[in-house]
Amino acid sequence: GDSVTQMEGPVTLSEEAFLTINCTYTATGYPSLFWYVQYPGEGLQLLLKATKADDKGSNKGFEATYRKETTSFHLEKGSVQVSDSAVYFCALINTGGFKTIFGAGTRLFVKA
Amino acid sequence: DADVTQTPRNRITKTGKRIMLECSQTKGHDRMYWYRQDPGLGLRLIYYSFDVKDINKGEISDGYSVSRQAQAKFSLSLESAIPNQTALYFCATSDTSPGTSSGANVLTFGAGSRLTVL
């Protein structure tokens, strides 16, 4: 079945460092891909999405490109801030599907 | 007010007790979901509902039941709570119909209900 694998955390970075969180997926057909973020004490919220191959999703300085040839959707940010400390979830849903499949989540700590 | 409201936010109970977690939404979405979050496991789907008359089991429905009282309300019950049901529970909504080719099915989440079963 469909699945999402993302790098284990926690990831600890200093402020202004470059961030990459790897995400790969297994799916039949042509899924839509997402990154959700969960700040402490809150529910998940959509960070960005991409619906077809080579699309780039971006929001709040974060970017991810839908790479069908490598089945990947890695999250990147050029300069992280303390306020980016959160848990990041990669997810997919297949065309015509109704069930969002989540990765295990990667916790990010950013030190001042 | 939040788009998706969950109550209670925190609950501690004992083994064997019946527990109900409630969810209400003001998004006007047809679809509602209950997920469970455990450390290192991500989110797992318990139940989902496409409308008031449509209830479906997710991947981990054993030990849980749900009720869709209205389009805006979807409650999750644990008939006889056990310690391994200790987790963070999330309600979510979405509005994309099945089979659509118009794009992604974005979920809107509540803030979560933390349940501890002793």
Side-chain angles (χ1 to χ4, degrees):
Chain A
D2 298 348
S3 65
V4 175
T5 303
Q6 57 183 109
M7 61 188 290
E8 291 187 18
V11 174
T12 302
L13 296 174
S14 297
E15 208 165 23
E16 299 184 2
F18 185 86
L19 168 71
T20 300
I21 300 178
N22 291 335
C23 171
T24 57
Y25 67 90
T26 301
T28 57
Y30 304 93
S32 294
L33 303 175
F34 309 81
W35 279 100
Y36 284 85
V37 58
Q38 182 182 25
Y39 298 105
E42 299 182 11
L44 284 72
Q45 58 185 271
L46 179 70
L47 180 59
L48 53 84
K49 66 181 182 182
T51 58
K52 61 182 186 297
D54 299 325
D55 269 1
K56 177 185 284 187
S58 61
N59 186 27
K60 300 181 180 180
F62 291 89
E63 294 182 339
T65 301
Y66 189 142
R67 301 289 189 198
K68 190 167 179 61
E69 63 276 14
T70 55
T71 61
S72 65
F73 192 54
H74 305 320
L75 182 69
E76 298 182 335
K77 186 175 185 182
S79 177
V80 294
Q81 306 300 311
V82 172
S83 57
D84 294 326
S85 298
V87 181
Y88 293 82
F89 292 89
C90 186
L92 70 81
I93 188 167
N94 240 317
T95 305
F98 49 84
K99 179 181 173 184
T100 303
I101 308 296
F102 288 89
T106 302
R107 184 175 295 276
L108 171 66
F109 291 104
V110 180
K111 303 179 297 183
Chain B
D1 288 344
D3 292 329
V4 180
T5 302
Q6 293 184 230
T7 55
R9 292 294 311 278
N10 289 284
R11 180 73 183 269
I12 300 173
T13 191
K14 295 181 178 180
T15 297
K17 295 293 188 180
R18 184 178 188 274
I19 296 297
M20 179 180 287
L21 306 179
E22 298 185 350
C23 176
S24 62
Q25 54 118 343
T26 58
K27 299 286 288 184
H29 290 169
D30 289 328
R31 297 185 180 184
M32 298 188 74
Y33 310 79
W34 275 104
Y35 283 91
R36 168 177 171 160
Q37 183 181 16
D38 296 279
L41 296 178
L43 275 74
R44 293 180 292 168
L45 184 62
I46 306 172
Y47 272 94
Y48 60 98
S49 170
F50 287 167
D51 62 41
V52 175
K53 296 180 181 180
D54 181 78
I55 303 288
N56 303 278
K57 293 182 177 181
E59 56 185 308
I60 55 163
S61 60
D62 287 350
Y64 302 94
S65 62
V66 291
S67 174
R68 185 83 183 265
Q69 301 96 324
Q71 188 210 28
K73 296 184 182 295
F74 192 39
S75 60
L76 176 72
S77 293
L78 288 69
E79 296 301 324
S80 179
I82 56 177
N84 76 2
Q85 291 177 313
T86 293
L88 186 55
Y89 292 85
F90 286 104
C91 177
T93 72
S94 68
D95 69 352
T96 302
S97 298
T100 183
S101 60
S102 62
N105 189 346
V106 177
L107 294 169
T108 301
F109 283 86
S113 295
R114 184 169 295 281
L115 176 65
T116 302
V117 183
L118 302 177

